[in-house]
Amino acid sequence: MKKNNSMLLLLRRQSAEDVLVTKIPPQVDDSWEFSGESEGFSISVLLKKEELYTSFKITGSHPEGENGHFVLQAETSGRELWNFDGPVTSDEIYRQSPHDVDAWISDDIAKQAVPLIAFGEDSLWGAVSSSPAFYDNYTSQGYFPSKGFLELSSGDSGQTPGKKPNSLLLEKEYNLSAGQKLSTGVIEAFDHPMKPDDPHMFEGFIFDFSLQGENLEQKRNYFRQQINRRIAVRFCNSSGESLFGDLSSATAYMNLRRNETGNSEFWVIPAVEYSNVQYGRDAFWISMMLDPRWDASCLENDLVKADTYSEYCLFDLIWAYRNWKNGQQVNMENVKRCLSVVESKVRDSWFYAYDESDGRQDFQFWGDIMAFEKDDVVSYNQGLLSAALAMAEKMSLHLPENMNPGKAADNYRALFNEDLSFFPMSRQKNTLLTVDALVGDVLSQAYLEEPLLPDSLVEKHYRAMVEKSKTPWGFKTVCMPDGSYLPHELYNAGDYIAQINREENMPDGTYYRGGSYLLYDGVMLIDACLHKIPGADEELIKRIRLEFEMGGTTYECLNTTTGEPWKPNMGWNGGIYALLKLFIDEGKINPEIITRLDH
């Protein structure tokens, strides 16, 4: 006999006891509606049966605009509780934001990538709410196995039955002369205004499907895939036909946040572990999968900021050009400010990422814990510069003599190490094989329709990666010419100790110490496909499938010695799908790459 899976709709306010509004039926044949008054609040509910789920839309207002939020509460009757990461066995409230832009290390706040509740046995029943961005980042999900119920909330009660953030500031040194203060984040009660002319709306869907798999890992993978598929269909206009596409769309959508700095309406976080702040580099890739209006808002934040950090200014130019080319309105005055930042880092069409005002010799590109000499040029950065300057020229921006697109591209190609037959890490670290050197070439082909590099150089670099860097768990971010992991001292720059060598317990194969990142593996392999290198298609399919096999999602990186995945639902991997889709639509890449991922 099937157990009752109905939910209660509660109105919750900080200043009063919970109010039972109505009982939500476990299933509907077509649609179901409710409208009524509770404690002076006008509340309506609409359920609509769809193929994969039942959508819900709950609306509330008060004549005086009083505050409150909605809670869907489900009695679990002793059944197993699940969140996006799998079974939950202890009381906890999960959240999607620490509500502090300085809280990018907030391990003492329980978080999950998707705002959902689920419970069941052989099948799981539950609900998912729309992106936290539409609730001022205050979505929360209460798991109470000790009391036998779950709660999906549009606000926050402020309770902490499990983890509790430390209110003290952490201090973490990044070099010998400077430190950075970090907040651990806050948990606080939050209700939404429910105004007559601006009612509070809580949207999402209810799901019910059987789990598939022979063990917990397989069941979790299947669960994640089914949830991502439904999110993509419900909120991202997906047809639900592509596993990788649905994952990419759902991840980008669920990583969207209200911009708490006020620089724009929205911005996008890399992953829930990094909330709540936008990283310009990550956002560039993630925004490829966002609705154009949200993409534009995320770009607005970066153009207003005109960030001098690392290579962010290069992504700002490329991103601005991408949106400008697609017909979106772009603030060209802010683009010019970003171009001025680029100019401050360029000499004779070479890009020097080091910033004297910062003082750190690491943090010069995405692999921010590798250190370089102050006058070094990173191959990855130089490729981005080549593409960015060509795009600035297309936007009719004035380029001074020392910022020549053609010369920048010549410099990029000149970094190739003929003796070792690959693009090295940098001009001075010129014997280190690196996975990311082809990024600029791919972006040039994506948005300028022409490569920066000849087939011969791309093929030589690809062959070196496959023959030397490849492991059973992806390609090493960086390695020695023979493929071995770097001696730790090579991460330093002279007497400067790199951040990676100040960390404890970071063995070879972990993170940037030779870990494998799908984003950079994928871009390298896509470039090989664009240059028609035999075997590249198969390598790309195998590399993407590897992520799905690990956990039904994609990760920030995989450990190349153990295969252990790190940080699921990493947003920037959506850039790989977006590029594949772009090049497939243009007839430049085999469409079977995507279709075969689903079989």
Side-chain angles (χ1 to χ4, degrees):
M1 180 176 176
K2 191 170 183 177
K3 296 182 180 179
N4 183 13
N5 287 335
S6 64
M7 290 189 289
L8 303 179
L9 172 61
L10 307 178
L11 171 66
R12 180 165 292 166
R13 295 166 290 168
Q14 296 181 43
S15 57
E17 295 291 323
D18 288 352
V19 176
L20 173 61
V21 178
T22 188
K23 185 176 182 179
I24 305 294
Q27 58 186 12
V28 296
D29 294 329
D30 183 25
S31 63
W32 181 87
E33 294 185 57
F34 166 86
S35 182
E37 299 283 330
S38 295
E39 301 290 321
F41 290 83
S42 298
I43 300 172
S44 64
V45 182
L46 173 63
L47 303 184
K48 188 175 181 181
K49 177 67 175 177
E50 305 289 354
E51 181 180 357
L52 294 175
Y53 50 76
T54 298
S55 65
F56 68 80
K57 181 178 179 180
I58 305 168
T59 305
S61 64
H62 189 278
E64 305 300 324
E66 288 192 13
N67 296 345
H69 68 270
F70 292 121
V71 178
L72 290 175
Q73 186 181 88
E75 182 181 341
T76 58
S77 303
R79 286 169 283 179
E80 191 171 50
L81 279 56
W82 277 56
N83 69 7
F84 192 71
D85 295 321
V88 177
T89 58
S90 59
D91 289 5
E92 187 59 271
I93 296 179
Y94 295 89
R95 296 169 168 94
Q96 282 69 52
S97 174
H99 311 298
D100 188 333
V101 296
D102 292 321
W104 57 274
I105 296 179
S106 52
D107 296 339
D108 290 330
I109 295 177
K111 298 183 288 289
Q112 65 167 332
V114 175
L116 69 80
I117 57 172
F119 64 99
E121 293 164 344
D122 294 330
S123 64
L124 290 180
W125 189 90
V128 177
S129 65
S130 52
S131 172
F134 308 116
Y135 307 97
D136 291 320
N137 306 335
Y138 278 95
T139 46
S140 62
Q141 305 83 48
Y143 284 69
F144 300 97
S146 68
K147 301 176 182 178
F149 65 87
L150 292 168
E151 293 186 339
L152 183 74
S153 303
S154 66
D156 200 319
S157 67
Q159 297 176 7
T160 55
K163 287 187 174 182
K164 297 174 175 59
N166 189 333
S167 61
L168 300 176
L169 290 178
L170 302 176
E171 187 166 326
K172 183 182 180 73
E173 283 199 3
Y174 282 92
N175 56 41
L176 300 179
S177 61
Q180 183 175 358
K181 286 189 178 295
L182 308 170
S183 169
T184 56
V186 295
I187 291 176
E188 58 188 2
F190 184 86
D191 291 333
H192 297 276
M194 296 193 180
K195 301 177 182 178
D197 58 346
D198 187 16
H200 174 52
M201 191 176 300
F202 190 30
E203 293 187 278
F205 61 84
I206 300 167
F207 61 86
D208 184 4
F209 56 82
S210 297
L211 289 175
Q212 294 184 15
E214 297 180 0
N215 54 47
L216 177 59
E217 181 180 358
Q218 292 177 357
K219 291 179 180 179
R220 183 192 62 180
N221 293 359
Y222 181 80
F223 175 68
R224 284 176 168 172
Q225 291 169 4
Q226 293 303 310
I227 292 297
N228 281 325
R229 181 187 181 196
R230 286 159 173 77
I231 292 170
V233 172
R234 173 68 177 87
F235 301 117
C236 306
N237 298 316
S238 170
S239 63
E241 296 176 353
S242 169
L243 172 64
F244 193 17
D246 289 346
L247 168 63
S248 300
S249 295
T251 299
Y253 173 79
M254 282 300 177
N255 285 356
L256 192 67
R257 296 289 186 273
R258 180 76 61 179
N259 188 343
E260 295 176 357
T261 70
N263 286 340
S264 63
E265 184 176 7
F266 298 108
W267 61 4
V268 67
I269 62 170
V272 71
E273 291 86 356
Y274 288 95
S275 59
N276 177 41
V277 68
Q278 176 166 296
Y279 292 65
R281 172 194 309 123
D282 302 62
F284 167 81
W285 298 105
I286 303 167
S287 62
M288 293 181 183
M289 295 302 303
L290 287 175
D291 182 284
R293 56 189 163 155
W294 302 329
D295 169 25
S297 187
C298 294
L299 172 61
E300 180 185 1
N301 173 81
D302 277 31
L303 293 183
V304 167
K305 191 175 181 182
D307 207 329
T308 62
Y309 172 72
S310 192
E311 86 285 23
Y312 278 21
C313 55
L314 299 175
F315 277 114
D316 290 343
L317 283 182
I318 297 171
W319 192 353
Y321 176 77
R322 183 184 79 196
N323 287 16
W324 175 82
K325 182 184 178 185
N326 290 338
Q328 294 188 37
Q329 188 173 10
V330 177
N331 187 319
M332 296 309 292
E333 290 304 312
N334 285 341
V335 175
K336 291 176 183 177
R337 290 175 54 236
C338 293
L339 183 61
S340 296
V341 176
V342 175
E343 184 177 2
S344 72
K345 293 172 174 280
V346 173
R347 298 193 299 277
D348 196 22
S349 300
W350 291 100
F351 187 82
Y352 298 89
Y354 175 73
D355 184 351
E356 191 65 51
S357 65
D358 182 296
R360 298 176 293 184
Q361 290 178 233
D362 28 28
F363 297 88
Q364 293 194 42
F365 77 132
W366 76 270
D368 47 20
I369 51 181
M370 166 76 79
F372 299 89
E373 297 294 345
K374 298 178 181 180
D375 60 349
D376 202 356
V377 174
V378 179
S379 297
Y380 155 90
N381 287 345
Q382 188 64 29
L384 291 175
L385 175 70
S386 305
L389 293 184
M391 294 175 193
E393 191 172 60
K394 291 279 189 181
M395 290 187 287
S396 300
L397 298 175
H398 171 71
L399 296 177
E401 186 176 347
N402 74 318
M403 294 171 62
N404 182 284
K407 180 63 183 302
D410 288 341
N411 291 344
Y412 179 33
R413 291 185 285 268
L415 289 168
F416 190 82
N417 187 319
E418 293 288 355
D419 293 335
L420 295 174
S421 200
F422 59 70
F423 277 99
M425 169 67 66
S426 70
R427 192 165 59 184
Q428 295 183 39
K429 292 179 182 275
N430 63 354
T431 62
L432 306 184
L433 176 57
T434 181
V435 70
D436 56 26
L438 306 183
V439 172
D441 190 47
V442 169
L443 295 180
S444 179
Q445 291 170 89
Y447 306 127
L448 296 170
E449 291 82 43
E450 59 184 21
L452 295 168
L453 302 174
D455 294 345
S456 59
L457 295 189
V458 173
E459 181 164 10
K460 288 177 181 177
H461 187 80
Y462 166 79
R463 295 298 176 202
M465 292 298 302
V466 172
E467 294 169 10
K468 305 297 184 182
S469 173
K470 184 180 174 183
T471 78
W473 298 285
F475 296 84
K476 298 172 184 174
T477 51
V478 61
C479 64
M480 297 297 288
D482 63 359
S484 59
Y485 293 102
L486 267 59
H488 291 188
E489 61 270 17
L490 290 187
Y491 287 93
N492 301 330
D495 294 333
Y496 184 91
I497 307 301
Q499 173 64 23
I500 195 169
N501 288 332
R502 304 179 200 188
E503 298 282 348
E504 297 181 358
N505 302 320
M506 189 174 288
D508 290 338
T510 306
Y511 192 48
Y512 194 76
R513 208 184 290 282
S516 176
Y517 289 71
L518 176 60
L519 175 63
Y520 297 104
D521 288 3
V523 171
M524 181 268 294
L525 294 169
I526 286 174
D527 205 26
C529 292
L530 290 170
H531 287 269
K532 308 303 180 185
I533 299 171
D537 289 16
E538 292 299 321
E539 290 289 352
L540 181 57
I541 292 169
K542 285 189 291 186
R543 180 61 188 86
I544 297 171
R545 276 182 175 166
L546 182 61
E547 300 279 318
F548 297 151
E549 292 167 359
M550 290 291 177
T553 183
T554 68
Y555 295 85
E556 177 166 347
C557 63
L558 304 180
N559 187 310
T560 55
T561 61
T562 67
E564 180 183 2
W566 192 50
K567 293 185 179 177
N569 270 39
M570 189 65 184
W572 67 7
N573 292 325
I576 297 299
Y577 178 81
L579 289 174
L580 280 173
K581 189 71 166 58
L582 172 67
F583 292 131
I584 287 172
D585 290 346
E586 293 177 347
K588 297 177 180 177
I589 279 185
N590 186 349
E592 291 186 4
I593 291 176
I594 287 181
T595 57
R596 285 179 57 193
L597 289 172
D598 296 322
H599 300 92

